[in-house]
Amino acid sequence: MQYFLQGIIMGLAYVAPIGMQNMFVINGALAHSRRQALIVGLTVTLFDVALAFSCFYGIGAIMDYYRWLRELVLFFGSLIVTYIGISLLLAKAEKKTEEAAALSFPKMVVSAFVVTWFNPQALIDGTMMLGAFRVSLPVNEALHFIIGVASASLIWFTGLALVVSYSGNLIQGRVLRYINLACGGIIIIYGLGLMVKLIQMVF
């Protein structure tokens, strides 16, 4: 139980800071029905847990070893992330309703995958942080710790989706537009930042 709780605390510290995943969940919760918002939160949770397990067991080291793979992820990641940001800037600020158009599940899954996995810095930082904890844990307690981290991800993203979905009823169309602009702008800056990192690596 001690290591499980440590995993939850570490997991919350890892996912709580504002980032692409959080903005994706927030935007999804504001734009869609509560049920669809929960689906978005659960999908992001699934990919985030997969990323945590991969970092815990060393996939980031592979990215460091194979430079070309890291550059490839940076290139495509920067393009797709920037595209997502531009899509948010161009999105119409329509207040969600229970009769809102059904969420495009395949598109949402791909977007959730991109904001989670096409982030080399998250892979590297996650590997360093979770990898360091793995080394410090007793062998038979490592699984309890990473399950705690996974639980934190589930609690955070589903909780965020539900809280924003419930409070979203108080938000009017113009405010939604500003939120889209803010989230889209930040994501575009992040995508361009990935491209800058790629250029610095190549040259």
Side-chain angles (χ1 to χ4, degrees), residues 77-157:
S78 64
L79 294 180
I80 298 174
V81 167
T82 302
Y83 171 77
I84 291 175
I86 293 174
S87 297
L88 281 177
L89 291 182
L90 299 178
K92 294 181 179 179
E94 297 180 352
K95 197 174 187 298
K96 68 176 182 180
T97 65
E98 294 301 322
E99 295 80 21
L103 179 65
S104 173
F105 187 73
K107 182 178 179 180
M108 183 274 294
V109 170
V110 171
S111 297
F113 175 79
V114 168
V115 299
T116 304
W117 278 86
F118 279 69
N119 185 352
Q121 196 62 48
L123 285 170
I124 297 169
D125 292 345
T127 299
M128 293 177 62
M129 183 186 72
L130 295 175
F133 266 88
R134 186 188 176 200
V135 172
S136 67
L137 293 171
V139 177
N140 60 338
E141 298 294 348
L143 183 59
H144 296 137
F145 175 82
I146 194 62
I147 289 177
V149 172
S151 299
S153 180
L154 176 63
I155 293 169
W156 177 261
F157 288 119

Side-chain angles (χ1 to χ4, degrees), residues 130-201:
L130 295 175
F133 266 88
R134 186 188 176 200
V135 172
S136 67
L137 293 171
V139 177
N140 60 338
E141 298 294 348
L143 183 59
H144 296 137
F145 175 82
I146 194 62
I147 289 177
V149 172
S151 299
S153 180
L154 176 63
I155 293 169
W156 177 261
F157 288 119
T158 56
L160 179 64
L162 290 174
V163 168
V164 173
S165 180
Y166 277 103
S167 62
N169 292 325
L170 305 175
I171 300 176
Q172 301 302 316
R174 180 173 294 182
V175 177
L176 285 177
R177 177 59 180 159
Y178 291 149
I179 291 174
N180 276 350
L181 289 175
C183 290
I186 292 172
I187 290 176
I188 289 174
I189 292 173
Y190 187 87
L192 294 177
L194 291 178
M195 183 61 73
V196 170
K197 289 182 180 179
L198 173 62
I199 294 173
Q200 291 174 339
M201 288 176 61

Side-chain angles (χ1 to χ4, degrees), residues 10-57:
M10 177 55 63
L12 288 174
Y14 182 61
V15 299
I18 293 299
M20 285 187 56
Q21 290 171 298
N22 288 329
M23 284 187 285
F24 181 74
V25 172
I26 289 171
N27 190 265
L30 290 174
H32 302 289
S33 68
R34 190 162 300 127
R35 176 177 174 274
Q36 293 170 333
L38 188 58
I39 291 174
V40 171
L42 288 173
T43 304
V44 172
T45 296
L46 176 64
F47 287 124
D48 189 69
V49 169
L51 177 63
F53 269 85
S54 298
C55 288
F56 194 63
Y57 292 106

